[in-house]
Amino acid sequence: MSDFLIAPPAPATADAPRILIVRLSALGDIVFASSMLDALRHRWPRAHIAWLAQPGFAAILGDDPRIDELIRVPAEIFKSPAALWRLRRELRARRYDWVFEVQGLAKSRLLAWLAGGWRAGFASKEPGAFLMQRLLPKGGDIADIASEYRYFAAALSGERAGPPRLPVSDPARAAIDAQRTALGLPAGFVALCPFTTRPQKHWIESYWPQLAQRLHEAGLGPCVLFGGPGDVEAAARIAAATTAPLVNLVGKTRLGELPAWLAQARLVVGVDTGLTHTGIAVRTPTVALFGSTCPYRQGAESPLAVLYDALPCAPCRRHPSCDGRYDCMRGLTPARVAATARQLLNLPPSNQAAAPEPA
């Protein structure tokens, strides 16, 4: 819980505040910010909770019953003063009591101001602090997953905020179950999430097919690759480099389907990316691979193993001796990841002779 409590002004309707959360992007942070919802709902069960997000990311929240209203705002809106003014009129007509801006950017602060109401947000070096009425530090235990969002929610509600959670409805589960059956995939596959935005966060590409082979030999397959349209070429290379059973769904799934897909997996293995965080949020056992970014190491309510090699140059400062090799990720070998997966699932150690690691 936060070490201090902020009391928002009394709502227009007692015990039923109208709340707007502003978190526009990106996928991983929207997943993290979902950790606020249980605390807000527990403190104010009758609240009307709305969320403002960009259309490309909002779908991850589309199945969440804790959200009463999901408002999609295109990124292009900032290019049109007339569109911003229309949005202001539409948001203020909803009469939000409180607006929680949990991105800390000038653009998200602007949208919070457009919505009206009492506004609290993250402190940051971004311009526009004057648009907010209360700024909170990104507090909490940095080792906890989604620590800053949990701290924010606890400070405003007085309730303990748990880890990220993405509910999956029965219809969504049934729809993915039908897709999985049509693909010939058994229940309990391993979801591989290799792709992310920054190169220093990627695991070594040649390691993924080796990991798929090791998981197959350990009886943990088949593996399924997940990712977005921009990852199609890399996914094809990974799939072509292994003889282990592997289904490539990269670019073939909709964002809103991914929580239900990952909820059907027996294990998620991924880098520091929104899909890996989604696996944790649907309570699937997860092995998370961190390199130069600060790892969370605790705070999940499902089995979680975080692997990282903390080198002197982390967070990534492009150390001259590295020369783009990203040694922090290279040290996380396929054998090490496979062994961690077995341990996480409470399986006995493999008796097979280990294949040689790549140079």
Side-chain angles (χ1 to χ4, degrees):
M1 183 176 292
S2 168
D3 55 5
F4 69 96
L5 184 64
I6 297 171
T13 303
D15 298 324
R18 294 181 60 82
I19 300 171
L20 175 65
I21 296 171
V22 179
R23 178 76 217 193
L24 304 173
S25 63
L27 177 59
D29 276 292
I30 287 180
V31 173
F32 284 161
S34 71
S35 61
M36 301 172 57
L37 292 169
D38 281 336
L40 297 179
R41 276 281 170 223
H42 193 268
R43 174 63 182 83
W44 296 288
R46 296 174 54 230
H48 176 94
I49 298 179
W51 194 306
L52 190 69
Q54 291 178 7
F57 301 103
I60 200 73
L61 301 170
D63 206 25
D64 198 322
R66 299 169 297 176
I67 299 173
D68 298 294
E69 184 181 19
L70 189 55
I71 305 170
R72 295 168 170 84
V73 176
E76 296 76 19
I77 197 171
F78 297 100
K79 299 178 182 178
S80 171
L84 284 170
W85 195 253
R86 285 194 300 272
L87 178 64
R88 177 185 183 273
R89 184 168 60 248
E90 293 167 5
L91 292 176
R92 296 209 174 191
R94 289 168 164 89
R95 299 186 180 277
Y96 295 115
D97 296 295
W98 308 328
V99 180
F100 300 152
E101 186 280 308
V102 287
Q103 191 146 5
L105 297 180
K107 63 181 182 180
S108 52
R109 287 172 173 172
L110 173 61
L111 295 183
W113 176 80
L114 291 178
W118 181 83
R119 300 174 296 281
F122 280 141
S124 73
K125 296 180 180 179
E126 284 274 316
F130 68 94
L131 298 173
M132 311 304 295
Q133 288 155 309
R134 189 64 188 261
L135 293 174
L136 283 73
K138 292 186 176 182
D141 185 342
I142 197 172
D144 282 343
I145 185 171
S147 58
E148 63 266 41
Y149 301 100
R150 299 167 73 170
Y151 182 86
F152 187 99
L156 287 160
S157 69
E159 301 285 342
R160 177 188 175 274
R165 184 170 72 88
L166 293 175
V168 179
S169 67
D170 290 340
R173 289 181 188 274
I176 296 308
D177 187 61
Q179 291 186 46
R180 178 182 58 76
T181 302
L183 290 168
L185 270 173
F189 56 87
V190 176
L192 302 182
C193 305
F195 308 110
T196 185
T197 52
R198 303 202 302 268
Q200 63 268 31
K201 294 167 64 175
H202 282 89
W203 202 33
I204 310 303
E205 185 176 299
S206 63
Y207 282 3
W208 288 105
Q210 296 175 48
L211 177 64
Q213 185 66 42
R214 287 180 178 272
L215 294 175
H216 170 62
E217 292 170 354
L220 293 179
C223 292
V224 180
L225 281 174
F226 290 96
D231 307 315
V232 169
E233 291 186 8
R237 291 194 300 268
I238 292 171
T242 182
T243 58
L246 187 146
V247 176
N248 182 3
L249 292 185
V250 173
K252 300 176 183 177
T253 55
R254 294 193 295 269
L255 183 62
E257 297 175 330
L258 289 171
W261 267 112
L262 297 182
Q264 293 212 10
R266 72 183 300 185
L267 174 72
V268 172
V269 181
V271 294
D272 180 11
T273 185
L275 289 182
T276 304
H277 312 322
T278 298
I280 296 169
V282 297
R283 306 298 192 256
T284 297
T286 299
V287 178
L289 311 178
F290 280 79
S292 62
T293 48
C294 181
Y296 50 74
R297 302 184 299 278
Q298 61 190 36
E301 290 182 352
S302 55
L304 170 66
V306 178
L307 296 180
Y308 66 101
D309 281 340
L311 298 180
C313 54
C316 192
R317 300 187 182 94
R318 299 178 183 271
H319 195 282
S321 66
C322 176
D323 194 28
R325 294 190 312 273
Y326 303 121
D327 295 329
C328 53
M329 295 301 265
R330 193 171 296 277
L332 306 180
T333 64
R336 181 177 171 187
V337 175
T340 300
R342 294 183 64 88
Q343 184 177 23
L344 186 69
L345 296 175
N346 295 316
L347 299 175
S350 175
N351 294 323
Q352 296 177 340
E357 296 290 356

